[in-house]
Amino acid sequence: TKADITEVKAFAKPAPAVRITMEGVCIMLDEKPDWPTAKKVLGDSQFLNNLKTYDKDNIPEPTIKKLQKYIREYLSGHERYINDENMQVAVVERVSTAAKGLCVWLHAMNVYHKVAKGIGPKRELLAQANAQLEDAMQVHEKCHFAYMRSWKMLELKAKRERSNNTSGLLTGPEYSSDD
């Protein structure tokens, strides 16, 4: 919220957890990761909107690598420190509930990037499969149209033959009663 942003911005000398959280935010916004820059970023009237509309599908690899230097992750139930334990959500929350939301956002962007990176190749395969399906459906549609046109032509031919048969009897060797 705006009140949370105002609270974080009001820190003259923020606690390490708040400072590191804001450095992470600056990294994600491609800004210099320091407190004076963080205060400037927090003062931007579009700050919250920039976070909400952040292009999470295209986070540059160098950006995420810089962020991951700060984040403490939990992998398969085991803690792993990447660099700084002050980037833990619980640690940030003890210092500032306002900064907690920003820390959660950073962790979410990191997790999203990892998941999207794993899903990316699968999305590409899905797109290729959908393109092949579309091609096959177009071929099927053309074949079905040709089949229906041929069927209609055979029906018309049969009608003409029946109407041309003046005796009302079917003629031809297949209708012959000679056994």
Side-chain angles (χ1 to χ4, degrees), residues 20-91:
I20 288 170
T21 296
M22 286 310 303
E23 286 178 13
V25 170
C26 287
I27 287 168
M28 293 298 286
L29 298 176
D30 200 26
E31 297 284 347
K32 184 177 177 185
D34 62 18
W35 185 244
T37 305
K39 287 183 82 160
K40 182 184 83 156
V41 166
L42 287 165
D44 182 352
S45 64
Q46 292 299 307
F47 176 68
L48 286 176
N49 189 52
N50 291 341
L51 297 183
K52 289 176 187 175
T53 61
Y54 190 83
D55 186 6
K56 61 188 175 287
D57 290 314
N58 296 300
I59 301 172
E61 201 60 39
T63 299
I64 207 72
K65 284 189 186 305
K66 287 178 193 172
L67 176 67
Q68 289 173 344
K69 290 179 183 175
Y70 293 91
I71 291 181
R72 179 180 184 176
E73 297 179 323
Y74 295 89
L75 302 172
S76 306
H78 301 287
E79 288 185 18
R80 186 182 92 177
Y81 292 92
I82 290 183
N83 190 10
D84 200 314
E85 65 183 41
N86 284 307
M87 186 55 96
Q88 296 175 65
V89 174
V91 171

Side-chain angles (χ1 to χ4, degrees), residues 72-138:
R72 179 180 184 176
E73 297 179 323
Y74 295 89
L75 302 172
S76 306
H78 301 287
E79 288 185 18
R80 186 182 92 177
Y81 292 92
I82 290 183
N83 190 10
D84 200 314
E85 65 183 41
N86 284 307
M87 186 55 96
Q88 296 175 65
V89 174
V91 171
V92 175
E93 183 178 30
R94 280 194 298 267
V95 176
S96 167
T97 55
K100 173 193 171 194
L102 296 170
C103 186
V104 168
W105 181 79
L106 291 170
H107 281 273
M109 292 296 108
N110 183 51
V111 169
Y112 184 91
H113 177 76
K114 287 180 181 180
V115 171
K117 194 173 174 181
I119 291 175
K122 293 174 182 147
R123 282 184 181 168
E124 180 60 34
L125 289 173
L126 176 62
Q128 290 172 5
N130 280 336
Q132 289 175 346
L133 175 61
E134 181 63 31
D135 291 346
M137 292 301 290
Q138 287 177 2

